[in-house]
Amino acid sequence: LQDITDRKLTEQTLRESEERFRTLFEAAPVPMVISRLSDGVVMQCNDSVTETFGFDADQIVGKASPDLCQNPADRDAVIEALLNDGAIDNWELPLKLPDGRLIWCTVSSHVMELDGETVTVGALIDITERKLAEEALGESEARFRTVVESLAEGLLITDLDDRIVYANSRICEMTGYAVDELVGRIAYECLLPPEQWDVAKKRPAARLANVSERYETEHLHRDGSRFWARVSGTPYRDGTG
């Protein structure tokens, strides 16, 4: 006779652990997929996958999960990371669903043993709307920069401390500064004579109160010479308010 009590207890504990995992897997509100590590074939997906993405489980079960990657380079990187590191965490990937739709997801996947087989358990969070919003914002900012760089007038954008956050090419021509010499500096300290600083310090408060101004004032060139300019100051709020 051979005492196998410890082995039986271990097997029972393992079965109970796997049962708890499957219960959590099925109940998870996040779309989750179990795939074989050896070939990437999807073995199971929870109900959240079909509820979130709108296709039947049989459209993905039995197919290789890396093939969902829209870009072959992403697919290869996922496979390499899982084989070498055993996990990927919060990778933002473009995916192609079985019905042909293209979406963006944050993907996390970890290697584990389940029913005696090495598998990956992956969670998918749909971030398509956020990506589309970011893309639209980027396009809007690109259009904005195209317009302001073509202006015949100099343009400065400053924060509430009068620190320069943007300068177009025309303002550089007028003042003799390069863009990187202006951005980050206090506008009135480099562009206005000292006798005007007290008045200039009050203007950001007016912008915060949504007050626009038009005035003529003397400015300083980088070489120390002075020139007069007509200024139109108006409140401007970025995407963060």
Side-chain angles (χ1 to χ4, degrees), residues 118-170:
T118 304
V119 301
T120 64
V121 180
L124 311 173
I125 298 177
D126 190 348
I127 58 170
T128 306
E129 288 188 7
R130 194 198 83 197
K131 283 291 186 180
L132 291 175
E134 290 174 352
E135 182 180 346
L137 179 60
E139 292 174 352
S140 176
E141 290 178 345
R143 289 193 296 270
F144 167 80
R145 291 184 183 276
T146 299
V147 170
V148 299
E149 286 299 327
S150 64
L151 291 175
E153 296 83 10
L155 176 70
L156 281 181
I157 299 176
T158 61
D159 63 17
L160 291 177
D161 296 318
D162 209 34
R163 191 176 303 278
I164 299 169
V165 297
Y166 178 81
N168 74 348
S169 56
R170 178 57 180 147

Side-chain angles (χ1 to χ4, degrees), residues 9-142:
L9 289 174
T10 299
E11 291 174 351
Q12 180 180 348
T13 301
L14 179 61
R15 282 196 301 272
E16 291 173 351
S17 176
E18 290 179 347
E19 288 172 3
R20 287 195 297 271
F21 165 78
R22 289 189 182 279
T23 299
L24 292 173
F25 176 84
E26 289 295 343
V30 175
M32 299 185 71
V33 175
I34 299 174
S35 306
R36 278 197 303 264
L37 179 63
S38 58
D39 56 11
V41 169
V42 176
M43 303 166 62
Q44 186 178 354
C45 64
N46 67 357
D47 291 341
S48 291
V49 170
T50 56
E51 292 170 359
T52 300
F53 301 120
F55 56 82
D56 295 332
D58 58 11
Q59 291 182 271
I60 187 173
V61 173
K63 297 178 174 58
S65 55
D67 289 343
L68 292 173
C69 291
Q70 181 181 343
N71 301 322
D74 290 337
R75 178 193 61 206
D76 296 341
V78 167
I79 294 172
E80 182 178 1
L82 290 173
L83 290 174
N84 294 337
D85 304 325
I88 60 173
D89 289 305
N90 297 319
W91 284 28
E92 295 187 356
L93 299 171
L95 303 181
K96 185 175 182 179
L97 298 182
D99 59 10
R101 282 178 294 151
L102 302 179
I103 64 170
W104 276 87
C105 281
T106 295
V107 181
S108 296
S109 185
H110 292 254
V111 176
M112 63 177 291
E113 294 294 321
L114 186 65
D115 293 336
E117 192 162 21
T118 304
V119 301
T120 64
V121 180
L124 311 173
I125 298 177
D126 190 348
I127 58 170
T128 306
E129 288 188 7
R130 194 198 83 197
K131 283 291 186 180
L132 291 175
E134 290 174 352
E135 182 180 346
L137 179 60
E139 292 174 352
S140 176
E141 290 178 345

Side-chain angles (χ1 to χ4, degrees), residues 196 203 214-219 228-231:
Q196 296 186 32
R203 290 199 168 108
R214 289 190 178 186
Y215 53 91
E216 294 180 354
T217 188
E218 200 171 25
H219 286 72
W228 282 84
R230 182 180 295 110
V231 178

Side-chain angles (χ1 to χ4, degrees), residues 168-180:
N168 74 348
S169 56
R170 178 57 180 147
I171 199 72
C172 293
E173 294 172 6
M174 295 171 63
T175 62
Y177 287 97
V179 171
D180 58 4

Side-chain angles (χ1 to χ4, degrees), residues 170-228:
R170 178 57 180 147
I171 199 72
C172 293
E173 294 172 6
M174 295 171 63
T175 62
Y177 287 97
V179 171
D180 58 4
E181 292 178 309
L182 288 174
V183 173
R185 296 186 64 182
I186 302 298
Y188 64 80
E189 290 182 354
C190 59
L191 299 177
L192 296 179
E195 62 267 23
Q196 296 186 32
W197 289 7
D198 287 342
V199 174
K201 289 176 183 178
K202 299 176 183 177
R203 290 199 168 108
R207 303 293 179 271
L208 186 60
N210 289 322
V211 175
S212 298
E213 297 178 286
R214 289 190 178 186
Y215 53 91
E216 294 180 354
T217 188
E218 200 171 25
H219 286 72
L220 286 178
H221 192 276
R222 189 178 186 277
D223 63 11
S225 62
R226 299 190 178 200
F227 65 96
W228 282 84

